[in-house]
Amino acid sequence: MHIRFPQKVERAMAAFKHKFLPRSLFFRTMLLIFVPLIVVQVVSIYAYFDGSWRRVGNKLSENLVSNMAFVIQMHDETADFATVQKMAKDLYDLDVSYYDNENKHSVWRENKKRNSFATHFLVESLQHQFPEANTEIFDHHDMLSILVDTDQGLYEFKTLRKNIFTSSIFGFVLWMIGTSLLLFMVAVMFLRVQVRSIAQLAEAAEDFGKGINTKFKPYGSIEVRRAGLAFTKMKERILRQISERTQMLAGVSHDLRTPLTRMKLQVAMLPESKDNEEFLQDINEMEKMLDGYLAFVSGEGGERTSFVDMNEVVSSIINKYRRSSNAMIRYSTNYDVSAVQGREQALRRAVTNIIENAFHYGKTIAVKLESDEKRLELTVEDDGPGIPADKREDVFKAFYRVEGSRNKETGGVGLGLAIAKDVIVSHGGSIQLSDSDLGGLRVLISLPL
């Protein structure tokens, strides 16, 4: 059930998710584990600090201050300070010194105040026990020096800091952090296995869309295995369907070529005439349409993938048309273009169709090949008549021909751009048509690396 919020709140939540939340499944799941874990740790430590550790600290400080008050009271009742000093050492582990009002100022100068987290509870107890006296605590690492300035004189008590401070909180915190880290590491290891399987499934699906048959073996949880097995079965059905279609088309090609060949032989044996010449042209046109249709439907599906040097492919195609055409062509590249993984013959056929169109309809052709870390782009421009903007989507349809100069007489059967798009899309790329700076058509082919 989706809870609907006001539109402004929905937009704010969407912006927050887009900017701050991680996008990968691994880090999102880690966030779901890590945030509650941190909250539990903070709440647990605070509850322990506010409960057990505070009570223990208060109790120890109250006991120490009560012992100090008893020692001061005994000194007031007994003139023999040495006896009181010995009793404090034996019973309470307190080193007591007494200074009269004339000498007590030197004691304040000798001690240097040092703040300590451990003396917080002791300060409160001293203020409660000696509200009218001037008290001060000096922390000397493991030893505490506590001064109580009364009307009779100054008392200095020295005791170990462990008598007012319990270090169990540090053990508790270390235990909580250690177990949490262990739990986090175990969760990371198990989650990495699940995420790795999903990532490999996504990679295999993307490669299959590009015509690359990547081996994938499902593993991980039951749901991930089911998704992997479903993908494997789907891929097998698609490959079987493509294979059956290709075999059927091969049979159709053989069955159609045989009567066409007989017809050409029969026409060749007839006397030369204008009607026979036109009939032979129709037969050749039928053969051309048949070859184009078979090439379009088969899609070069049986070709294996490899790393293709696109600079070499484009250069060889340009050189072939440069020798047989009077058009002027400019080719620019940085010669550091990354190789593309794909089917070389299919890519060569697609690029040939694009460049061939440019030579058919233009006198000046500009070809540019460049790449970055993610994509390779091939741009082909000409100064021909171009294609109207409202027909640029239709030209990618099979057997579609633009009226005018791009017709049956000067063009093919309307499959060149359709085949090119089919090949480019099957490699995970895109093809776009736009206006060229030369005045004709601009074709942009983009392929992922």
Side-chain angles (χ1 to χ4, degrees):
M1 182 178 67
H2 177 70
I3 302 176
R4 293 187 176 275
F5 295 97
Q7 189 174 4
K8 292 183 178 179
V9 177
E10 292 281 355
R11 287 199 297 265
M13 293 175 61
F16 176 81
K17 292 179 181 179
H18 180 73
K19 291 183 178 180
F20 298 103
L21 290 183
R23 298 185 178 181
S24 65
L25 175 63
F26 178 80
F27 287 105
R28 285 192 175 186
T29 308
M30 285 295 99
L31 189 64
L32 292 176
I33 296 175
F34 190 70
V35 171
L37 196 62
I38 292 296
V39 173
V40 169
Q41 300 301 317
V42 172
V43 172
S44 299
I45 293 174
Y46 177 79
Y48 179 82
F49 174 81
D50 191 58
S52 176
W53 190 70
R54 177 179 290 274
R55 289 197 302 269
V56 171
N58 281 328
K59 191 64 176 178
L60 292 175
S61 298
E62 290 174 0
N63 290 338
L64 177 62
V65 173
S66 297
N67 295 335
M68 293 166 54
F70 180 73
V71 170
I72 294 174
Q73 183 180 359
M74 288 294 296
H75 183 222
D76 291 341
E77 296 175 357
T78 305
D80 187 5
F81 180 74
T83 302
V84 175
Q85 192 177 37
K86 184 176 183 303
M87 181 193 66
K89 181 65 176 176
D90 294 340
L91 296 179
Y92 307 125
D93 194 22
L94 284 172
D95 293 326
V96 186
S97 300
Y98 173 73
Y99 304 91
D100 56 25
N101 291 327
E102 295 180 358
N103 300 319
K104 65 181 181 181
H105 301 290
S106 61
V107 179
W108 290 94
R109 290 193 297 267
E110 291 175 358
N111 287 281
K112 294 183 179 180
K113 187 175 180 179
R114 180 171 174 265
N115 295 326
S116 174
F117 177 73
T119 61
H120 174 70
F121 303 124
L122 183 58
V123 171
E124 296 179 354
S125 299
L126 286 172
Q127 292 175 353
H128 181 267
Q129 185 68 39
F130 306 103
E132 298 180 356
N134 186 16
T135 60
E136 195 62 75
I137 302 173
F138 299 94
D139 191 351
H140 305 288
H141 300 292
D142 293 336
M143 184 67 68
L144 294 178
S145 178
I146 307 167
L147 302 182
V148 181
D149 189 6
T150 64
D151 295 336
Q152 293 80 14
L154 176 66
Y155 292 89
E156 181 181 13
F157 298 90
K158 292 184 178 180
T159 185
L160 295 176
R161 188 169 60 172
K162 67 179 182 180
N163 291 331
I164 66 163
F165 178 74
T166 174
S167 59
S168 59
I169 186 174
F170 299 118
F172 175 76
V173 172
L174 290 176
W175 170 259
M176 293 288 290
I177 295 177
T179 53
S180 300
L181 289 177
L182 180 62
L183 175 63
F184 187 74
M185 292 174 61
V186 172
V188 168
M189 288 189 294
F190 278 96
L191 186 61
R192 281 175 62 88
V193 175
Q194 307 303 323
V195 174
R196 189 186 303 118
S197 178
I198 297 174
Q200 291 180 359
L201 174 60
E203 184 179 355
E206 185 177 359
D207 289 344
F208 182 66
K210 298 177 182 179
I212 304 172
N213 191 10
T214 303
K215 293 183 179 180
F216 171 73
K217 182 179 180 181
Y219 64 93
S221 63
I222 296 177
E223 293 79 6
V224 176
R225 288 173 181 264
R226 289 179 59 186
L229 290 174
F231 166 75
T232 302
K233 292 179 180 179
M234 179 193 69
K235 184 175 71 172
E236 291 174 353
R237 288 195 296 268
I238 293 175
L239 291 176
R240 184 169 59 251
Q241 182 181 8
I242 293 175
S243 177
E244 292 174 354
R245 186 185 67 173
T246 303
Q247 292 178 1
M248 180 190 68
L249 292 173
V252 171
S253 174
H254 179 269
D255 293 341
L256 291 179
R257 288 180 187 279
T258 300
L260 287 176
T261 303
R262 289 201 303 265
M263 293 170 64
K264 290 176 68 175
L265 291 175
Q266 292 175 0
V267 171
M269 296 175 63
L270 294 175
E272 294 184 3
S273 65
K274 184 177 181 180
D275 293 337
N276 293 341
E277 184 177 351
E278 293 178 353
F279 185 50
L280 184 60
Q281 290 179 356
D282 290 338
I283 295 176
N284 292 332
E285 184 66 24
M286 291 177 63
E287 285 187 332
K288 187 176 181 182
M289 292 177 63
L290 179 62
D291 292 338
Y293 178 71
L294 292 176
F296 171 71
V297 178
S298 62
E300 308 290 346
E303 184 183 359
R304 292 186 177 182
T305 60
S306 61
F307 285 98
V308 182
D309 185 356
M310 291 300 296
N311 184 37
E312 188 276 332
V313 170
V314 175
S315 298
S316 61
I317 296 172
I318 290 175
N319 291 333
K320 181 181 71 173
Y321 284 99
R322 181 176 283 162
R323 290 190 295 266
S324 59
S325 174
N326 295 325
M328 182 180 71
I329 183 169
R330 299 194 303 268
Y331 176 50
S332 61
T333 181
N334 54 9
Y335 295 99
D336 293 327
V337 176
S338 302
V340 176
Q341 187 176 12
R343 304 184 301 277
E344 182 176 0
Q345 294 303 320
L347 289 172
R348 183 180 293 273
R349 182 183 183 89
V351 176
T352 299
N353 290 347
I354 300 299
I355 296 179
E356 183 180 20
N357 283 344
F359 273 98
H360 272 307
Y361 306 112
K363 298 298 182 181
T364 302
I365 297 94
V367 181
K368 184 178 181 181
L369 182 66
E370 57 185 357
S371 69
D372 54 21
E373 296 180 355
K374 296 182 179 180
R375 305 194 70 83
L376 180 142
E377 292 186 347
L378 173 65
T379 306
V380 180
E381 300 183 66
D382 61 58
D383 60 350
I387 298 177
D390 58 342
K391 296 183 179 180
R392 288 172 184 168
E393 292 295 330
D394 296 333
V395 295
F396 292 113
K397 298 178 181 179
F399 302 108
Y400 181 87
R401 291 187 297 270
V402 180
E403 297 296 332
S405 62
R406 291 180 183 264
N407 56 22
K408 183 177 177 181
E409 298 299 327
T410 58
V413 295
L415 289 173
L417 289 176
I419 293 175
K421 183 176 182 179
D422 181 67
V423 172
I424 298 303
V425 172
S426 68
H427 284 78
S430 62
I431 179 170
Q432 298 177 356
L433 305 182
S434 60
D435 295 327
S436 171
D437 295 337
L438 300 178
L441 183 66
R442 181 177 184 266
V443 182
L444 173 62
I445 296 176
S446 179
L447 293 171
L449 296 178

